[in-house]
Amino acid sequence: MTRIDVGILGATGMVGQQFIALLAHHPWFRVSWLGASERSAGRKYRDAAAWRLPAPLPEAVANLDVQAAIPSAAAPRLVFSSLDSSVAGEIESAFAQGGHTIVSNSKNHRMEPDVPLLVTEVNGDHLALLNRQAARGWTGRIVTNPNCSTVVLSMALAPLRQFGLTKVMITTLQAISGAGYPGVASWDILGNVIPFIDGEEHKIETETKKILGCVTRDEVDPHPMVISAQTTRVAVQNGHTESISVGFEQPPSEEDMIHAWTAFKPLDGLPSAPASPIVYLQERNRPQPALDVDRGQGMTVTVGRLRRCPILDYKFFALGHNTIRGAAGVAILNAELMHREGLL
Amino acid sequence: MTRIDVGILGATGMVGQQFIALLAHHPWFRVSWLGASERSAGRKYRDAAAWRLPAPLPEAVANLDVQAAIPSAAAPRLVFSSLDSSVAGEIESAFAQGGHTIVSNSKNHRMEPDVPLLVTEVNGDHLALLNRQAARGWTGRIVTNPNCSTVVLSMALAPLRQFGLTKVMITTLQAISGAGYPGVASWDILGNVIPFIDGEEHKIETETKKILGCVTRDEVDPHPMVISAQTTRVAVQNGHTESISVGFEQPPSEEDMIHAWTAFKPLDGLPSAPASPIVYLQERNRPQPALDVDRGQGMTVTVGRLRRCPILDYKFFALGHNTIRGAAGVAILNAELMHREGLL
Amino acid sequence: MTRIDVGILGATGMVGQQFIALLAHHPWFRVSWLGASERSAGRKYRDAAAWRLPAPLPEAVANLDVQAAIPSAAAPRLVFSSLDSSVAGEIESAFAQGGHTIVSNSKNHRMEPDVPLLVTEVNGDHLALLNRQAARGWTGRIVTNPNCSTVVLSMALAPLRQFGLTKVMITTLQAISGAGYPGVASWDILGNVIPFIDGEEHKIETETKKILGCVTRDEVDPHPMVISAQTTRVAVQNGHTESISVGFEQPPSEEDMIHAWTAFKPLDGLPSAPASPIVYLQERNRPQPALDVDRGQGMTVTVGRLRRCPILDYKFFALGHNTIRGAAGVAILNAELMHREGLL
Amino acid sequence: MTRIDVGILGATGMVGQQFIALLAHHPWFRVSWLGASERSAGRKYRDAAAWRLPAPLPEAVANLDVQAAIPSAAAPRLVFSSLDSSVAGEIESAFAQGGHTIVSNSKNHRMEPDVPLLVTEVNGDHLALLNRQAARGWTGRIVTNPNCSTVVLSMALAPLRQFGLTKVMITTLQAISGAGYPGVASWDILGNVIPFIDGEEHKIETETKKILGCVTRDEVDPHPMVISAQTTRVAVQNGHTESISVGFEQPPSEEDMIHAWTAFKPLDGLPSAPASPIVYLQERNRPQPALDVDRGQGMTVTVGRLRRCPILDYKFFALGHNTIRGAAGVAILNAELMHREGLL
């Protein structure tokens, strides 16, 4: 089988590197084009980017010349984007205008009514929104995935929608890799907790409602639950831990909740889809980033410590790999779904 | 002025060492007696204990002979206790029986109806419970302080009682020193989060209600609010950070809440009482353990990021030094209050 | 091919768990027997041991009943040992007496003249010492591997022997996993450096000379170089970093040294032997534990920053995974070599 | 006594903030002028700088208007400098030209033959070099202090000069605060070691020889010892740990060395001079940054683990606070000495 050429916009950043690492041995996609800022354009990738992942930089990608982030015939039809939000909006629109399919991790287009905000297993049917993008005059299209902490929350909540979610309280303990590179200064986080991540709480409170919402006539009706988020940064390399309480219209039993999570396997046969998208751990001190973040190649969300909440109905913890399940990995899975649906 | 001789039970542990450090230059109290386990008894303190604090071990204490943890004429009337809970119950009772005033950080007697569970600024009037201890046949008495995370929460909530607290949701991010020594293995916490601390959530949910309760006829009527806690351990040396949401009968304005915190100065003239028991920080990324934990010599609780909560009424963060404000420091302050009230 | 049954003594500890993880899919060996202390014996492994590795505990091993650490017909002929040194000496001797081949990571027998101290690629010929063990009246035998920091040093030095090593100065920065579990208390190492590891410097200074020594007539003539070591513990999960200066009889060129390292591939065809036992990194800020420790499945030693030393001849850094290359991994590789040599 | 007005160039950086914190209650000096980059000039300090120290920002300094870093009549005669090296050379020269006494932590002028490179207790007599600065046409002058790791090494070596130092091997484990702010990215250092600090090894190898050299006829004759340095960055907030081996012409006894360190008290009566500039710790696992870095208000260098080195004569560890003893603190102490010598 011939692999499909793909490009990466924002290829030198933390998520851009994660895209490259995850696509190194991908059965369907092959990285053939890299776009980045003016500063990097024109140099070989190995010279333009300081590679910061333990996984090796593939030789073939290392030798690619980095291109300017402008649409061109040389760029493949399918382009992943992890551009900085200061430039992502315009550049991604230009690529969509120019006929490219942009699968983006950037925040700029997420909340636009005709742009799918996709967590593959959760709301693949939101791809129906793409029907509306032609009205923009685009020959290409844009699909986005949410903020990393929102991906983890959405995965944990999706199987619980059947019980009538009404309220969600969440406090996050987020890894430093979520801030990109150089991101958080070591002086600020070593032995410390920072109880603030700019814009994060708003994203959790709004993006989650769009993702869990229903699509009718190519329009998303946001989920009516109320969400309240507090976010913190902790000295963890990878993995967002989330302390969550939920209220329901018809509170299920604990067994029902655990069954809902473990039975949640809506996808089948996509290369990046983990065998178990959600794993519930019985041990009383789990999930933990150091032990659980890489489950399912970083694509599995782990949940644990489910018990009654005296204020809402239940409380529990969830954990997911923020740059894989929460960023590059979910974007690739989104593209895989689009490929299977004939949307590439 | 002659200083009052005091003893320390559990003198070799983490909180025991903190007692020694805080009492090094205390104007009222002088450490003259140290009690510990059989293993340590009979040795000089400098040999029995591996000193683990940056503050220097006072020479005079270093040279004291460690005694067995049994009541004796040689032990001073006032004895602080930070004994392990596996032995604290019986030993503290024996000392109280033997005429000693035990000011304890251990959990064993906290919830007994005739034992004050004291956060000095919050519920000094609970000392009235002491009237009932004679009924035990004790010539001495026992006063306790709560669990470290509960101290911080109680301080943050106390000024808000006036608005009719109804619900409190809390997720803690707790420092490793709270687990004592050796406590948390480095393998378990380096670059990690542990979403479980044994017994901690129950303590927060029950102790806080006793502390904020009213005393009538030498009995505590627990505060009726509902509390739901999730607790985590993070890679922080000192300082418990708490993510808190609160609901009220009559929700105040933000200004009222901040004023309530900053105006909260119920104590005056006690040596260990900080000028400002609660400080509200306006910066949007505070409080932080690395920057704020030592305020007021570790006795000030810092609060920040107050804003509306879409589920309860308000959310905010609070921070306190767990082995000072949350343990040895609050115990000393409790003893200072008792001294002023003529209860020693 | 039928896999050979193997046992693990000290199966519940940090290195014992690493043995289990590395043998999970081993083509030659199959874990069929687990020995541990009285406390664990008689329980299923999953109940006796708290599994602390990110790699999953294999189901088949989880369900094994842990046995007492005494020789028995039920124990396989080949037994890996990571027993605590307080008991390893006698137990390992008893197993050797009883006909078992012990491949041990424990320190007790390392420096005995008839016991090979083996770093597989470096001194496989030291297996000749086994000829002398029959004189002990053993029907089995004992082979050991060195201390974790010594393994890394020996690997880095082995290719340089040809230039006449005379002096080696080393300062180590060692990971916490090297201390086992619970090992280093988090209070002691978080944001800290501990400039002391009990017994470690002596081991480096003596074990390395035995490993790099020559065997003649079943006797090791220790290498005559002088070694001086200072050792420190740092807040790193896995990976010992070593700052090394070396003096030679005939100092080679930098190119010769790098070639010696990269050409060092003495083994071929053993399942756990990495394609490149030593990799030299050209980047000026490498090797780093976070980026390089898992190279070659944790079996590759990385070297970098080679340059002239104004006191000795050259200085450089080396890094290796302390519980894989430095413990369980090298022991397994030793057993693989013995199998190929017909010594099992 | 009226305090002397002082200025700070580079006031917003990490060392600039440390200057402000240390001068907050200084008996001789009062901060009245702050200079920084164009970006900060014209704004109140509290707005121009994000304060990052646990010590409080003094109100009086917070309200100062930050000035451009150009000489003016408004700037005090005495100006401390912690400018970035990309601009420090020219700006400091301009201030010296304009009649200011610059006491600088920047590297630019350190190695110039007419500029004292001062560690106050070690080579105060190097101030004689100032006689030569008039030849530059300056009406002011420049005094520098060395690189932070060099300060610690120089302090540890100075008392040993009497034994004829010949060789010094050093491996450093340096704190992140030494890299300024934002400095080291948390992604790079969390759970990691970086075996490279740009330019640091060269500074240690050259600056130390100038500091320990003799001044004759206003010229420094560098110390003839040979120094070889390897430097690493570790996940420590404050405190450089140094693993050191030394060779002597006449090797002293261990007792002589320890006596030399503890008897080293060349200064008397300067406000920032610690009672004990060097403390030798007998415990076998010291010094440690977490326990010892703040001794003597961060101005004491701690030494430990002295023992024979089989290659050179002795080996030991030294530790010092890199932004206090190694930067702002030593600069202030240098200014205090100059004041007492009538050189301000």
Side-chain angles (χ1 to χ4, degrees):
Chain A
M1 172 183 168
T2 313
R3 293 196 289 165
I4 300 165
D5 282 347
V6 303
I8 299 172
L9 278 167
T12 60
M14 185 72 90
V15 174
Q17 298 197 3
Q18 195 60 264
F19 271 121
I20 291 170
L22 292 175
L23 292 170
H25 306 287
H26 198 279
W28 296 358
F29 303 140
R30 190 181 72 95
V31 175
S32 66
W33 186 92
L34 302 171
S37 68
E38 288 302 322
R39 192 163 31 86
S40 300
R43 303 162 68 192
K44 288 213 175 303
Y45 185 76
R46 71 164 79 251
D47 302 320
W51 186 253
R52 294 186 190 87
L53 296 181
L57 168 58
E59 273 304 294
V61 176
N63 291 323
L64 288 176
D65 291 314
V66 177
Q67 310 295 323
I70 41 178
S72 81
R77 181 166 172 81
L78 172 59
V79 177
F80 293 103
S81 168
S82 56
L83 287 167
D84 189 82
S85 60
S86 61
V87 298
E90 286 188 33
I91 294 176
E92 291 179 0
S93 293
F95 272 77
Q97 179 88 38
H100 299 275
T101 296
I102 296 291
V103 178
S104 173
N105 183 58
S106 302
K107 74 176 182 189
N108 307 57
H109 296 284
R110 284 178 191 156
M111 296 304 291
E112 293 171 2
D114 59 351
V115 174
L117 180 59
L118 219 62
V119 178
T120 333
E121 291 92 337
V122 175
N123 63 335
D125 60 319
H126 286 208
L127 285 170
L129 296 188
L130 291 175
N131 299 330
R132 294 169 58 189
Q133 291 193 3
R136 299 229 198 186
W138 292 350
T139 52
R141 47 176 55 120
I142 296 179
V143 168
T144 62
N145 60 266
N147 184 39
C148 44
S149 52
T150 303
V151 176
V152 178
L153 178 62
S154 300
M155 289 287 289
L157 294 182
L160 310 179
R161 270 183 296 192
Q162 58 185 298
F163 309 119
L165 280 165
T166 56
K167 292 176 182 173
V168 177
M169 292 273 279
I170 176 173
T171 295
T172 66
L173 299 87
Q174 301 187 215
I176 54 166
S177 59
Y181 187 91
V184 184
S186 54
W187 176 258
D188 288 333
I189 198 65
L190 198 65
N192 201 16
V193 167
I194 306 175
F196 176 73
I197 301 175
D198 202 4
E200 192 85 357
E201 293 161 1
H202 181 70
K203 288 178 202 166
I204 293 173
E205 295 175 358
T206 53
E207 294 181 3
T208 311
K209 291 162 63 75
K210 178 171 179 181
I211 297 159
L212 295 190
C214 290
V215 169
T216 34
R217 270 170 296 162
D218 301 347
E219 198 157 328
V220 177
D221 188 23
H223 195 285
M225 68 187 159
V226 180
I227 306 175
S228 178
Q230 300 224 71
T231 56
T232 74
R233 189 79 69 188
V234 293
V236 165
Q237 209 81 351
N238 290 310
H240 290 354
T241 304
E242 306 188 345
S243 166
I244 301 169
S245 283
V246 288
F248 296 104
E249 284 166 20
Q250 304 93 24
S253 68
E254 285 192 27
E255 292 66 34
D256 288 344
M257 284 188 71
I258 293 175
H259 179 261
W261 279 319
T262 54
F264 183 73
K265 296 179 183 180
L267 282 183
D268 217 32
L270 297 184
S272 301
S276 301
I278 301 176
V279 166
Y280 184 83
L281 299 172
Q282 295 290 348
E283 293 88 342
R284 67 182 188 170
N285 62 355
R286 303 287 276 274
Q288 295 179 19
L291 297 176
D292 301 311
V293 76
D294 288 326
R295 281 176 185 256
Q297 269 71 254
M299 288 297 284
T300 292
V301 168
T302 46
V303 179
R305 294 205 69 214
L306 177 67
R307 60 219 188 284
R308 284 276 170 191
C309 171
I311 292 182
L312 300 181
D313 292 313
Y314 283 100
K315 48 189 175 183
F316 58 87
F317 284 91
L319 164 76
H321 193 302
N322 52 297
T323 65
I324 298 181
R325 165 51 78 178
V330 74
I332 293 170
L333 192 55
N334 284 344
E336 290 169 5
L337 178 64
M338 292 172 72
H339 179 60
R340 196 171 66 183
E341 307 278 312
L343 289 166
L344 288 191
Chain B
M1 173 183 167
T2 313
R3 292 195 291 164
I4 300 165
D5 281 346
V6 304
I8 299 172
L9 278 166
T12 59
M14 185 72 90
V15 173
Q17 298 198 2
Q18 195 60 266
F19 271 122
I20 292 171
L22 292 174
L23 292 170
H25 307 285
H26 197 278
W28 295 358
F29 303 139
R30 189 181 73 95
V31 176
S32 66
W33 186 93
L34 303 172
S37 67
E38 289 302 321
R39 192 162 32 87
S40 300
R43 303 161 68 190
K44 289 213 175 302
Y45 185 76
R46 72 164 77 252
D47 302 320
W51 186 253
R52 293 185 191 90
L53 297 180
L57 167 59
E59 272 304 296
V61 176
N63 292 322
L64 288 176
D65 291 315
V66 177
Q67 309 296 323
I70 43 179
S72 82
R77 182 169 171 77
L78 174 59
V79 176
F80 293 104
S81 168
S82 56
L83 287 166
D84 188 83
S85 61
S86 61
V87 298
E90 286 188 32
I91 295 177
E92 291 178 359
S93 293
F95 272 77
Q97 178 89 34
H100 299 275
T101 297
I102 296 291
V103 179
S104 172
N105 183 59
S106 301
K107 73 175 183 189
N108 307 56
H109 296 285
R110 283 178 190 157
M111 295 305 290
E112 292 170 3
D114 58 351
V115 175
L117 180 59
L118 220 61
V119 178
T120 334
E121 291 93 336
V122 174
N123 62 334
D125 59 319
H126 286 208
L127 284 170
L129 297 187
L130 290 175
N131 299 330
R132 296 170 57 188
Q133 292 191 4
R136 298 227 198 188
W138 293 349
T139 53
R141 45 177 56 122
I142 296 178
V143 168
T144 62
N145 61 264
N147 182 40
C148 46
S149 53
T150 303
V151 177
V152 178
L153 178 63
S154 300
M155 290 287 288
L157 294 183
L160 310 179
R161 269 184 295 192
Q162 59 185 299
F163 308 119
L165 279 164
T166 56
K167 293 176 181 172
V168 176
M169 292 273 280
I170 175 173
T171 295
T172 66
L173 298 87
Q174 301 188 215
I176 54 165
S177 59
Y181 186 90
V184 184
S186 53
W187 176 258
D188 287 333
I189 198 64
L190 198 65
N192 201 15
V193 167
I194 305 175
F196 175 73
I197 301 175
D198 201 5
E200 192 86 357
E201 292 161 1
H202 181 70
K203 289 179 201 165
I204 293 173
E205 294 176 359
T206 54
E207 295 181 2
T208 310
K209 290 165 62 77
K210 177 171 180 182
I211 296 160
L212 295 191
C214 289
V215 169
T216 36
R217 271 170 294 164
D218 303 347
E219 198 156 325
V220 178
D221 189 23
H223 194 286
M225 67 188 161
V226 181
I227 306 176
S228 179
Q230 300 224 70
T231 56
T232 73
R233 189 78 69 189
V234 292
V236 165
Q237 207 81 352
N238 290 310
H240 290 354
T241 304
E242 306 186 345
S243 167
I244 300 168
S245 282
V246 289
F248 296 105
E249 284 165 20
Q250 305 91 28
S253 69
E254 285 192 26
E255 291 67 35
D256 288 344
M257 284 188 70
I258 293 175
H259 179 261
W261 281 319
T262 54
F264 182 73
K265 295 180 184 182
L267 284 183
D268 217 31
L270 298 183
S272 300
S276 301
I278 301 176
V279 166
Y280 184 83
L281 299 173
Q282 296 290 347
E283 293 87 345
R284 67 179 187 172
N285 61 354
R286 301 289 274 273
Q288 294 179 20
L291 296 176
D292 301 312
V293 76
D294 288 326
R295 282 176 184 255
Q297 271 68 254
M299 287 297 285
T300 292
V301 168
T302 45
V303 179
R305 294 206 67 214
L306 176 67
R307 60 220 189 284
R308 285 277 171 188
C309 171
I311 291 182
L312 301 180
D313 291 314
Y314 283 100
K315 47 188 175 183
F316 58 88
F317 284 91
L319 165 76
H321 193 302
N322 51 296
T323 66
I324 300 180
R325 166 51 78 177
V330 75
I332 293 171
L333 192 55
N334 285 344
E336 290 170 6
L337 178 64
M338 292 173 73
H339 179 59
R340 196 171 67 183
E341 306 278 312
L343 290 166
L344 288 191
Chain C
M1 172 181 166
T2 314
R3 292 197 290 165
I4 300 165
D5 280 348
V6 303
I8 300 173
L9 279 167
T12 59
M14 186 73 89
V15 173
Q17 298 197 2
Q18 195 60 265
F19 271 121
I20 292 169
L22 292 174
L23 292 169
H25 306 287
H26 197 279
W28 296 357
F29 303 140
R30 189 180 75 94
V31 176
S32 65
W33 186 93
L34 303 172
S37 66
E38 288 304 322
R39 192 163 31 85
S40 300
R43 303 162 68 193
K44 287 213 177 302
Y45 185 77
R46 72 164 79 252
D47 302 320
W51 186 253
R52 294 185 189 90
L53 298 181
L57 168 58
E59 272 305 294
V61 176
N63 291 324
L64 288 177
D65 291 314
V66 177
Q67 309 296 323
I70 42 177
S72 82
R77 181 166 172 80
L78 174 59
V79 177
F80 293 103
S81 168
S82 57
L83 287 167
D84 189 82
S85 60
S86 62
V87 298
E90 286 187 34
I91 294 176
E92 291 178 358
S93 293
F95 272 77
Q97 180 88 37
H100 299 275
T101 296
I102 296 292
V103 178
S104 173
N105 184 58
S106 302
K107 73 175 181 190
N108 306 58
H109 295 285
R110 283 179 192 157
M111 296 304 290
E112 293 170 1
D114 58 351
V115 175
L117 180 59
L118 220 62
V119 179
T120 334
E121 291 93 337
V122 174
N123 63 335
D125 59 321
H126 285 209
L127 285 170
L129 297 187
L130 290 175
N131 299 330
R132 294 170 57 188
Q133 291 192 4
R136 300 226 197 188
W138 291 351
T139 51
R141 45 177 55 123
I142 297 179
V143 168
T144 62
N145 61 264
N147 183 39
C148 47
S149 53
T150 302
V151 177
V152 178
L153 178 62
S154 300
M155 289 288 288
L157 294 182
L160 309 180
R161 270 184 295 191
Q162 58 184 301
F163 308 119
L165 279 165
T166 56
K167 293 176 180 173
V168 176
M169 294 272 281
I170 175 172
T171 295
T172 65
L173 298 88
Q174 300 187 215
I176 54 166
S177 58
Y181 187 90
V184 184
S186 55
W187 176 258
D188 288 333
I189 198 64
L190 198 65
N192 200 15
V193 167
I194 305 174
F196 176 73
I197 301 175
D198 203 4
E200 191 86 358
E201 293 162 1
H202 181 70
K203 288 179 202 164
I204 294 173
E205 294 177 359
T206 54
E207 294 181 2
T208 311
K209 290 163 64 74
K210 177 171 180 181
I211 296 159
L212 295 190
C214 290
V215 169
T216 35
R217 272 170 296 164
D218 300 348
E219 197 156 326
V220 176
D221 188 24
H223 195 287
M225 68 187 160
V226 181
I227 306 175
S228 179
Q230 299 223 73
T231 55
T232 74
R233 189 79 67 190
V234 293
V236 166
Q237 209 81 351
N238 290 311
H240 289 355
T241 304
E242 307 188 345
S243 166
I244 300 169
S245 283
V246 288
F248 296 104
E249 284 165 20
Q250 303 93 24
S253 69
E254 284 192 26
E255 291 68 33
D256 289 343
M257 284 187 69
I258 294 175
H259 179 261
W261 279 320
T262 53
F264 182 74
K265 295 178 184 182
L267 283 182
D268 218 33
L270 297 184
S272 301
S276 301
I278 302 177
V279 166
Y280 184 83
L281 299 172
Q282 296 290 348
E283 293 87 343
R284 66 181 189 171
N285 62 354
R286 302 288 278 272
Q288 294 179 21
L291 296 176
D292 301 311
V293 76
D294 287 326
R295 282 175 184 255
Q297 269 70 252
M299 288 296 284
T300 292
V301 168
T302 45
V303 179
R305 293 207 68 215
L306 176 67
R307 59 218 190 284
R308 286 275 171 190
C309 171
I311 291 182
L312 301 179
D313 293 312
Y314 282 101
K315 49 189 175 183
F316 58 88
F317 284 91
L319 165 76
H321 193 301
N322 51 296
T323 66
I324 299 180
R325 165 50 80 176
V330 75
I332 293 170
L333 192 54
N334 285 344
E336 291 169 5
L337 179 63
M338 292 172 73
H339 179 58
R340 196 170 67 182
E341 306 279 312
L343 290 166
L344 288 190
Chain D
M1 172 183 169
T2 315
R3 293 197 290 165
I4 299 165
D5 281 347
V6 304
I8 298 172
L9 278 166
T12 58
M14 186 73 89
V15 174
Q17 299 196 4
Q18 195 59 265
F19 271 120
I20 291 169
L22 292 174
L23 292 169
H25 306 287
H26 198 278
W28 296 359
F29 303 140
R30 190 181 72 95
V31 175
S32 66
W33 187 92
L34 302 171
S37 66
E38 288 302 322
R39 193 162 31 87
S40 300
R43 303 161 69 190
K44 288 212 176 305
Y45 184 77
R46 74 163 77 252
D47 302 320
W51 186 253
R52 292 184 192 92
L53 297 180
L57 168 59
E59 273 304 295
V61 175
N63 292 322
L64 287 177
D65 291 315
V66 177
Q67 308 296 322
I70 43 177
S72 81
R77 181 166 172 80
L78 174 59
V79 177
F80 293 103
S81 168
S82 56
L83 287 167
D84 187 83
S85 61
S86 62
V87 298
E90 286 188 32
I91 294 176
E92 291 179 359
S93 293
F95 272 78
Q97 179 88 34
H100 298 275
T101 296
I102 296 292
V103 179
S104 172
N105 183 59
S106 301
K107 72 174 183 189
N108 307 57
H109 296 284
R110 284 178 190 158
M111 296 304 291
E112 293 170 2
D114 58 351
V115 174
L117 180 60
L118 220 62
V119 178
T120 334
E121 291 93 338
V122 174
N123 64 335
D125 59 320
H126 285 209
L127 285 170
L129 297 187
L130 290 175
N131 298 330
R132 293 169 59 186
Q133 291 192 5
R136 299 227 198 189
W138 291 351
T139 53
R141 46 178 54 123
I142 296 178
V143 168
T144 62
N145 60 264
N147 183 40
C148 46
S149 53
T150 303
V151 176
V152 178
L153 178 63
S154 300
M155 289 287 288
L157 295 182
L160 309 180
R161 269 184 296 191
Q162 57 184 301
F163 308 120
L165 280 164
T166 56
K167 292 176 180 171
V168 177
M169 293 272 282
I170 175 173
T171 295
T172 66
L173 298 87
Q174 301 188 215
I176 54 165
S177 59
Y181 186 90
V184 184
S186 54
W187 177 257
D188 288 333
I189 198 63
L190 198 66
N192 200 15
V193 167
I194 306 175
F196 176 72
I197 302 175
D198 203 3
E200 193 84 357
E201 293 162 1
H202 182 69
K203 289 178 200 165
I204 293 173
E205 294 176 358
T206 54
E207 294 181 2
T208 311
K209 291 164 64 73
K210 178 172 179 180
I211 296 159
L212 295 190
C214 290
V215 169
T216 36
R217 270 170 297 165
D218 301 348
E219 197 157 326
V220 177
D221 189 23
H223 194 287
M225 67 186 161
V226 180
I227 305 174
S228 179
Q230 300 224 72
T231 56
T232 73
R233 189 79 69 190
V234 293
V236 166
Q237 207 83 350
N238 290 309
H240 289 354
T241 304
E242 306 187 347
S243 166
I244 300 170
S245 283
V246 289
F248 296 105
E249 284 165 20
Q250 303 92 26
S253 69
E254 284 192 26
E255 293 67 33
D256 289 344
M257 284 187 71
I258 293 175
H259 179 261
W261 279 320
T262 54
F264 182 73
K265 296 179 182 181
L267 283 182
D268 217 32
L270 297 184
S272 300
S276 301
I278 301 177
V279 165
Y280 184 83
L281 299 173
Q282 296 289 348
E283 293 87 344
R284 66 180 189 171
N285 61 355
R286 302 289 274 272
Q288 294 179 20
L291 297 176
D292 301 311
V293 75
D294 287 326
R295 283 176 183 255
Q297 270 69 253
M299 287 297 283
T300 291
V301 168
T302 45
V303 179
R305 294 207 68 215
L306 177 66
R307 61 218 188 284
R308 286 276 171 188
C309 172
I311 292 181
L312 301 180
D313 292 313
Y314 283 101
K315 48 189 175 183
F316 58 87
F317 283 91
L319 166 75
H321 193 302
N322 52 297
T323 65
I324 299 180
R325 166 50 79 176
V330 74
I332 293 170
L333 192 55
N334 285 343
E336 290 170 6
L337 178 64
M338 293 173 72
H339 180 58
R340 195 170 70 183
E341 306 279 313
L343 289 166
L344 288 191

